[in-house]
Amino acid sequence: MFSRPSTKTSWPDIINLLSEIVVFNQYNFKDFLKKLLEISNEVIPVDSCLVYFYDKDSKELSLIASKKPHEKAIGNITIRQGEGITGWVAEHKKTVAIYKNAYSDSRFKFFKELPEDKYEAFLSVPILDSEGVVGVMNFQNKKPYDFSEEQVIVIEAICKIISSVFAKTLVDKKINALEEKLEERKIVEKAKGILMKAKNISENDAFKIMRSEAMNKRKSMKEIAEAILLVWQ
C-alpha cells in the first residue's frame, strides 16, 4: 500500500506559504533555500527533498540543498542534462511523478552519496524561467507515495515563483566569477612585473617560473602571485 498525501495543508495555508516564498527571496540564497525546503515539506511531507541548480553554460545540475544533511554531497554532486530522472526533467522541462519503484525507471541513475536513491517514490519538478530551466526540485519517500494532483500543482507554482531568484543567483555567480578572474589577472600581472625587475628576466620567463611553482606546489597562479607580492613588496 502507498501513503496517502497529507491533507493538513489547506488552500489558505498554501496561499500563505506562497507569500512567504515571495517575501523570503529578499534574503541571502542559503537562507532562502532553507525556507524553500521547509515550505515545500509542508506541501509534500515526504522523507527527502533535494534542490538542484542548473548551469546553462555547462549544462549541468549541481546539488545545492537538501532536507537531510548531506554536507559532503552539497556542491559535489553534478548531473548532466539528460542524465537520470533529474537530468531528463531538466532537458524536457516536464514534471515526473513515480509513486513506487522509482529505481526501476529506465531513466534512473544511482548516486551512492545519496541514500534517497534507494527510496520508492520520486517526484521531480523543473524550476523554469522565461529562458528555460534554472533548477530542479526532487521529492523522495522511503515507501510508495501517491503524489496528488493538488500537491504537484502547488509545487510547480512554487517553482515558477522562485525561478527569478535562481536566475538572479546565476547572474550574480557569473559576475562574481568574472570579477574574481579579473582580480586574479591583476595580481598575476603585478607579480610577474616584480619578478621581471628583480631577476632581470623577460615576461615569458617570469610567467614560466610562476607556472612551474604553481604546478610543483599544487597552488593556483593567484596564490603564487600573492606569495611573490608578500615577499618582494
Side-chain angles (χ1 to χ4, degrees):
M1 293 293 291
F2 54 75
S3 300
R4 285 290 179 185
S6 171
T7 56
K8 68 177 182 178
T9 309
S10 64
W11 275 107
D13 290 333
I14 289 169
I15 292 171
N16 285 331
L17 291 174
L18 293 176
S19 66
E20 282 191 55
I21 281 287
V22 173
V23 172
F24 216 84
N25 67 16
Q26 300 172 25
Y27 296 83
N28 70 69
F29 196 53
K30 185 176 180 179
D31 288 340
F32 172 79
L33 288 172
K34 183 178 178 181
K35 190 65 177 179
L36 173 61
L37 290 172
E38 292 174 359
I39 290 173
S40 299
N41 192 64
E42 284 289 319
V43 180
I44 306 182
V46 289
D47 297 314
S48 170
C49 181
L50 303 173
V51 183
Y52 289 87
F53 189 88
Y54 182 68
D55 189 314
K56 295 179 182 178
D57 293 331
S58 65
K59 293 186 178 180
E60 288 184 334
L61 292 145
S62 299
L63 180 65
I64 58 172
S66 171
K67 174 183 174 182
K68 290 192 171 185
H70 288 303
E71 294 178 3
K72 292 183 179 180
I74 299 297
N76 293 319
I77 288 184
T78 58
I79 301 173
R80 294 189 303 274
Q81 181 177 296
E83 183 180 28
I85 296 175
T86 307
W88 186 95
V89 167
E91 182 176 36
H92 294 271
K93 305 178 183 64
K94 293 181 179 179
T95 297
V96 169
I98 304 172
Y99 86 93
K100 70 174 182 178
N101 298 331
Y103 41 77
S104 298
D105 190 276
S106 60
R107 298 163 293 188
F108 185 82
K109 179 178 179 179
F110 178 75
F111 286 91
K112 62 181 180 180
E113 300 91 343
L114 298 175
E116 290 92 329
D117 281 351
K118 297 179 182 178
Y119 292 1
E120 289 277 344
F122 196 119
L123 172 67
S124 188
V125 181
I127 302 171
L128 304 168
D129 69 359
S130 59
E131 297 183 1
V133 177
V134 290
V136 173
M137 283 194 74
N138 288 344
F139 299 82
Q140 291 164 271
N141 203 57
K142 291 180 180 178
K143 296 181 179 180
Y145 188 100
D146 189 19
F147 302 101
S148 72
E149 182 180 357
E150 181 178 85
Q151 286 176 315
V152 173
I153 288 173
V154 172
I155 292 300
E156 287 178 336
I158 288 175
C159 285
K160 286 179 182 178
I161 290 172
I162 66 173
S163 64
S164 61
V165 181
F166 274 63
K168 181 180 181 300
T169 300
L170 180 59
V171 171
D172 290 345
K173 183 179 177 182
K174 288 182 178 179
I175 291 174
N176 290 337
L178 180 60
E179 289 177 345
E180 288 177 7
K181 191 172 182 179
L182 290 173
E183 181 62 26
E184 179 179 340
R185 185 173 179 178
K186 288 179 182 178
I187 294 173
V188 169
E189 288 296 319
K190 191 172 183 180
K192 192 165 57 175
I194 289 174
L195 272 184
M196 290 167 61
K197 186 176 181 180
K199 295 182 176 289
N200 193 28
I201 57 177
S202 68
E203 180 180 357
N204 189 47
D205 287 339
F207 179 79
K208 286 181 179 179
I209 290 173
M210 292 175 64
R211 184 174 61 183
S212 178
E213 281 293 298
M215 293 175 65
N216 292 336
K217 295 182 178 180
R218 295 183 179 181
K219 300 286 186 179
S220 67
M221 286 289 284
K222 182 181 178 182
E223 289 174 313
I224 296 300
E226 288 173 337
I228 291 172
L229 294 177
L230 187 65
V231 172
W232 293 92
Q233 278 191 329

